[in-house]
Amino acid sequence: QSALTQPASVSGSPGQSITISCTGTSSDIIAYNYVSWYQQHPGKAPKLLIYGFTNRPSGVSDRFSGSKSGNTASLTISGLQTEDEADYFCSSYTNIITIFGGGTKLTVL
Amino acid sequence: QVQLHESGPGVVKPSETLSLSCSVSGYSISSGYYWGWIRQPPGKGLEWIGSLSDSDTTYYNPSLKSRVTISADTFKNQLFLKLTSVTAADTAVYYCVRDLQFYGSGSYVYWGQGTLVSVSS
């Protein structure tokens, strides 16, 4: 089964921007499918940040943005804030099946 | 405001069946959207279990398909999950979810608070 690869951890300082990548192991898992991003704080349910590669649901800060290049999707967080420290997961939706990346822990130094 | 609330036993014995329910408020599940279940083993990532469409069609994770059943009671506005022959690997927080898009997109905008199920004798 195809998989999504994310870096285990990233870090940044308040005010900086960081980018988290999500790479598909098969040629089309990212390129032709619907990618979403989620934020999860400890002990809480995940929160949808980005859908359809670049779209934000109502109420999500515009500091969060998504992009795609080839078989890699990316989540960029600008103007880092301490409350952004959390786990971030990407997902790909293909043929009704949803696959998640392993998650990235963001530390705000 | 759509709200989802999972409930079920916190402990299930190995080889038995895990049964969870999800009570939905703020929206009638018979009115559409895809509803489903996602789980997360302690300290690990997310795993999609399966979804139920507005036409009552089910879709399951191939790795769990032989053991999973997702169903709904539209009168009670509840979603259900059954997972048979559980092992310790099924220990996880189980989330009930609803898709953002009416026809399904894999973008889950509504989540329950999650319920921890431990498989232990």
Side-chain angles (χ1 to χ4, degrees):
Chain A
Q1 188 176 356
S2 299
L4 299 175
T5 301
Q6 299 180 232
S9 64
V10 298
S11 62
S13 300
Q16 289 185 333
S17 295
I18 63 96
T19 296
I20 299 172
S21 62
C22 174
T23 302
T25 57
S26 64
S27 61
D28 62 353
I29 191 172
I30 296 286
Y32 301 109
N33 295 297
Y34 212 66
V35 171
S36 303
W37 288 93
Y38 299 86
Q39 175 192 60
Q40 186 180 35
H41 287 107
K44 300 293 187 183
K47 173 187 177 182
L48 180 65
L49 292 178
I50 298 289
Y51 66 97
F53 292 105
T54 61
N55 304 294
R56 283 186 305 275
S58 174
V60 173
S61 170
D62 60 4
R63 295 188 301 106
F64 297 93
S65 62
S67 63
K68 180 193 77 169
S69 177
N71 207 34
T72 296
S74 298
L75 172 71
T76 297
I77 308 174
S78 59
L80 268 181
Q81 299 178 0
T82 54
E83 56 262 38
D84 297 331
E85 186 162 294
D87 293 325
Y88 292 83
F89 296 91
C90 64
S91 71
S92 174
Y93 182 71
T94 172
N95 297 323
I96 314 296
I97 295 173
T98 300
I99 300 170
F100 287 97
T104 299
K105 182 176 180 58
L106 168 62
T107 301
V108 181
L109 304 170
Chain B
Q1 174 75 346
V2 179
Q3 294 186 324
L4 298 86
H5 187 268
E6 306 91 346
S7 60
V11 180
V12 179
K13 289 182 169 55
S15 81
E16 295 191 344
T17 297
L18 179 161
S19 295
L20 296 176
S21 61
C22 172
S23 295
V24 179
S25 61
Y27 190 84
S28 172
I29 61 176
S30 63
S31 295
Y33 287 95
Y34 280 50
W35 304 82
W37 293 89
I38 290 169
R39 70 180 183 178
Q40 184 174 34
K44 296 188 178 180
L46 301 167
E47 181 179 33
W48 176 77
I49 298 171
S51 294
L52 177 69
S53 76
D54 59 311
S55 61
D56 235 14
T57 304
T58 49
Y59 306 91
Y60 299 128
N61 188 321
S63 67
L64 299 170
K65 187 174 183 178
S66 64
R67 300 193 292 130
V68 174
T69 302
I70 293 175
S71 60
D73 183 330
T74 55
F75 293 103
K76 293 183 177 179
N77 217 33
Q78 289 183 315
L79 190 70
F80 303 103
L81 170 69
K82 286 190 186 301
L83 182 65
T84 62
S85 305
V86 298
T87 69
D90 296 310
T91 293
V93 174
Y94 286 76
Y95 294 101
C96 176
V97 296
R98 199 205 82 177
D99 203 296
L100 173 68
Q101 307 282 19
F102 193 86
Y103 293 110
S105 64
S107 302
Y108 304 103
V109 66
Y110 295 108
W111 295 67
Q113 84 286 354
T115 186
L116 175 62
V117 179
S118 298
V119 178
S120 173
S121 55

